[in-house]
Amino acid sequence: MRVNLLGPVELVSAGGDAVRLGAAKRRTVLAALALELNRVVSGDRLLELVWDGSPPPQAKAALQGHIAQLRKVLSGGVALVTRAPGYVLTGERAAVDVFRFEDLLASAREAADDDAVRLLREALALWRGPLLADVPGDQLREAVSARLEELRLVAVQELATRLTRLDRAAEVVSGLRDAVDANPLREALVSRLVLALHWTGRQAEALALYHRTRERLADELGVDPGPELREAYQTVLAGDTAPATPVERAPAQLPREHRGFVGREEELSDLGAALIGQDSAIGLLVGPAGVGKTALALRWAHGVAGDFPDGQLFVNLRGFDETEPLDPRTALIGFLRALGLTDSQIAVDLEGQAAQYRSLLAGRRVLVFLDNARSAEQVRPLLPGSPRCLVLVTSRHRLDDLVVTEGASSLHVPTLPESSAEDLLTALLGRQRIEQEPDAVAELVELCDRLPLALRIAGARLASRPRWTIQSLVDELRDEQGRLSALSLPEAGRGVHAALAVSYRELPEGAARLFRRLGLHPGTDLDSYTAAALLDINVVSARTHLRTLAYANLLHESTPDRYSRHDLVRLFTHHLAATESEVDNQVATNRLLDYYLHVADRARAHLSDHVRPFGPAEHRPASFPELSSHAAALDWFTLEEANLGLALDIAVNGGQRERTWQLALCLDAFHFRRGNRLDRLALCRIGLAAARSLGDRHAEATFLLRLGSTLADMGRIDEAIEACTRAASLADGDRHLELAALANLGYCLMADDQLDRAQETILEALEVAREVGDNRSQASIQNNLANVLLRKHQPEEALRHATEALGLFPSAPSKAHTATLHTVGAASQQLGRADEALESYRAGLALAARLGDRYQEALCHRAIGDVLEQSEGQAAARPHWLAALQLYRDLRLPDADDVARKLDLTTLPLPDHRPHAS
């Protein structure tokens, strides 16, 4: 069964008989669906087309009736299917004469002259009159007629060209005359008819046609004949006897490649894999300003240009210039001229121009390069209809719409790897100069963010100043205040600052405001909750703004809902923030600090055994992540560790003493869990200084106790005892604080091998814990007591206290619980119960791994290794010792030396081998 639309609408059965369709509206429904063969047409769109933009109230029911009637008469491989949100007509392309015509025309372009003539005549024979001749209303016809009529005229022109080339000009006169009568100002048709008349001995008619057309062009359009028609006229005047056909020169518009292009082998390979051999391929290269998208696309385009014999088209769409982006109509006019149309032949409206463009490219193999596109709307009219064409698009915006609606293959262009960045500088400065200062070159590459634009500007500055050292420019760029201006070319209005400024100016107000506020954020990455705090908005709005910035490639979504920025972008946001009100900036900064404090305090509650929540912050965030478990709290701290440290710096430098000690306390809880003693020492001193300057005795005592336990772990016992003693003097009747001071002091005395005094102090702390009903503290203190007893070689008593301690811990896991499992293992080991010791050590290792407590992991790995050495030999112990050594080195602890000696690895690199907790 076939559907014919090139004339009156017909439905023809497999036997060749016309099928009665009935109502005129039913023919329109069939035509609308057939023109979108195998694609869904929504119900609303059908209503618009069938009732010409004004469907009556009963139109929906009538449409459903027409659909039902059409289903009854369709067969032979053509079917009408309901598919949300409308309907789809399914079938082979050959079942609809429009698509049969297009396919024949495409095949003719690739065929030899004799075959092309046959194919073109078959294609033109499908036209039985005006397109959709009996369809009522104009909307459907207007939607497709310009493109298809243009294709018909292209077929007529191509047939005339092929017949003339075969010296059969007489066969083209009649068809050309009809076409010229209908399109008297289409010079491509007129020139072919002039020549056909000339080659058949009708020179007078040829000259008369030329002069008639010339006068009409002057009267109606005010233009002279174009070069093709003038050339045909000169041929007639010269009396040439050998037929000549118009010469169609393939456009070759690719700009030259960038000098000094380096690297990008992976990206070039990815482009080839995504585009070569694919029909209707669209390659979309996106990335931040100055990353080298155009240079990469040009390198690839020049490499494949030979595969596109019908030409290469190029246009800079100026989507991110200081001026307005290029209008698609302007770009189309340029393309149409390059494809041979004169100005008088080019349609006046965008839709008509796009139809001409697609028609001229039908069946051709052309590479179309659309550089610096601003939006999908700017690109879409410039997409060819021919499946044999290939399109390259570059943009700072992601243009996801082209991926969704046009099937574009998107490639994100990253900054250069370090080696390629150095190669780029070498190409600009010469190898000798680069090799003289390798360290300066490496730093220059990073200061330029490995961004090709910045590297080229830096290279140009050095190339024009041969007496400068590379280090001298590095010293200048280290100053963050002047780095952006140093990477600009003021006289040319180019550079990193100018490129970022254009992208910033195009942002909607909400996203622009967030971008300015990012200048107050000290880190390189953040999530949507942090962004919401900076702007004092809800997280949903913040996500919208962040996605807008990522779409513009001013930020990069490194992981879901987490966005990072290059260092030069960070400096640009600092410049923007400096233009804002100082008061507004301070309020936003305080909101940022209070956001981090609020979430960090909630996370701390999952990591520490005794948490006294902070009082309400000045700016309580409206949105924040829900951290409902120990693992979630640890993950959040790990993710935000760098930002929390920078936030602490802001608080310290701003003299915000309460925020300082509170942030320091939260970070200390995290580092305590991770076993990071050096960072804990620094944090305790920062928090202690802030607490003392505020006169907050409880906060001061808290930090003294944390300082004491850290110093004890580092072997600085005298200092640890002094800190804990000072904390006890600040208790002022606070029994919980007194308990913590006694427990810590007992721990320090034990570390100093003052075992009797340690036992006495720990027993005193145990009495206080029982008095205040603090089971968790009682369990930790009993564990400390067990360790004192172990050192006094009383393993039975030690095991009893450690086992009692295990029964006191609540269900929620804690660091102290892990430590107690280790103590049970040690007591069992001293008693010669190796299997029980291993069981306890392994339970402690599993819990430590679950809690992220690397110090306890190290202790358990080492202990397991020691037990296995005695029972199974060094081969069994070695994997656990290696794991312990890696952890000790990560934590920068002196214990690493003892384990290294066991492994005889004091001077050897550490093997990359770590067993899992069992």
Side-chain angles (χ1 to χ4, degrees), residues 13 67 78 125 139 186 188 195 226 245 267 372 384 398 446 449 490 506 513 527 623 675 753 815 849 857 864 891 914:
S13 70
I67 294 291
V78 179
Q139 193 168 116
R186 190 179 180 97
L195 290 173
T245 57
E267 289 83 357
N372 284 316
R398 289 206 310 250
E446 295 308 316
D449 265 350
E506 301 301 331
R513 182 166 169 257
D527 62 9
S623 304
D753 279 334
K815 183 182 177 77
E857 278 189 79
I864 292 170
L891 296 170
R914 186 181 302 184

Side-chain angles (χ1 to χ4, degrees), residues 49-79:
L49 292 172
V50 174
W51 276 271
D52 214 25
S54 302
Q58 68 276 17
K60 188 172 182 180
L63 174 62
Q64 291 171 344
H66 292 312
I67 294 291
Q69 291 302 314
L70 284 172
R71 282 179 172 148
K72 292 179 181 179
V73 297
L74 290 171
S75 63
V78 179

Side-chain angles (χ1 to χ4, degrees), residues 352-541:
Q353 291 165 357
Q356 289 178 314
Y357 171 66
R358 291 191 297 270
S359 299
L360 290 172
L361 293 185
R364 295 189 184 184
R365 186 161 177 76
V366 174
L367 172 63
V368 181
F369 187 161
L370 308 175
D371 195 26
N372 284 316
R374 171 77 178 281
S375 64
E377 289 70 27
Q378 190 186 24
V379 167
R380 196 167 280 111
L382 306 176
L383 298 177
S386 170
R388 304 184 67 247
C389 291
L390 185 147
V391 181
L392 278 182
V393 184
T394 69
S395 180
R396 295 184 197 177
H397 290 171
R398 289 206 310 250
L399 303 189
D400 295 337
D401 194 26
L402 288 182
V403 178
V404 175
T405 62
E406 307 295 341
S409 298
S410 182
L411 173 69
H412 178 78
V413 182
T415 56
L416 290 171
E418 183 179 354
S419 59
S420 294
E422 292 187 3
D423 288 344
L424 177 55
L425 289 174
T426 301
L428 296 169
L429 300 176
R431 183 164 301 281
Q432 181 179 359
R433 196 170 176 187
I434 293 296
E435 290 178 347
Q436 287 174 349
E437 300 180 78
D439 293 341
V441 168
E443 187 172 356
L444 178 59
V445 162
E446 295 308 316
L447 288 170
C448 290
D449 265 350
R450 292 179 279 114
L451 198 67
L453 174 61
L455 288 164
R456 287 182 179 278
I457 292 173
R461 291 191 64 195
L462 289 168
S464 63
R465 298 165 176 83
R467 295 189 179 183
W468 276 28
T469 63
I470 297 174
Q471 185 63 50
S472 63
L473 180 58
V474 167
D475 292 341
E476 180 181 347
L477 294 178
R478 281 175 179 164
D479 177 11
E480 292 192 348
Q481 299 297 321
R483 191 182 306 167
L484 284 175
S485 60
L487 293 174
S488 298
L489 299 174
E491 66 278 6
R494 298 184 62 189
V496 178
H497 188 283
L500 292 172
V502 172
S503 295
Y504 164 67
R505 283 199 297 271
E506 301 301 331
L507 295 172
E509 175 51 34
R513 182 166 169 257
L514 174 58
F515 196 56
R516 294 192 297 272
R517 283 281 185 261
L518 290 181
L520 303 175
H521 190 278
T524 58
D525 68 337
L526 79 167
D527 62 9
S528 56
Y529 293 104
T530 313
L534 276 169
L535 284 184
D536 197 21
I537 59 176
N538 63 61
V539 72
V540 175
S541 298

Side-chain angles (χ1 to χ4, degrees), residues 120 269 275 484 645 735:
L120 289 165
S269 175
L275 303 180
L484 284 175
R735 296 290 277 169

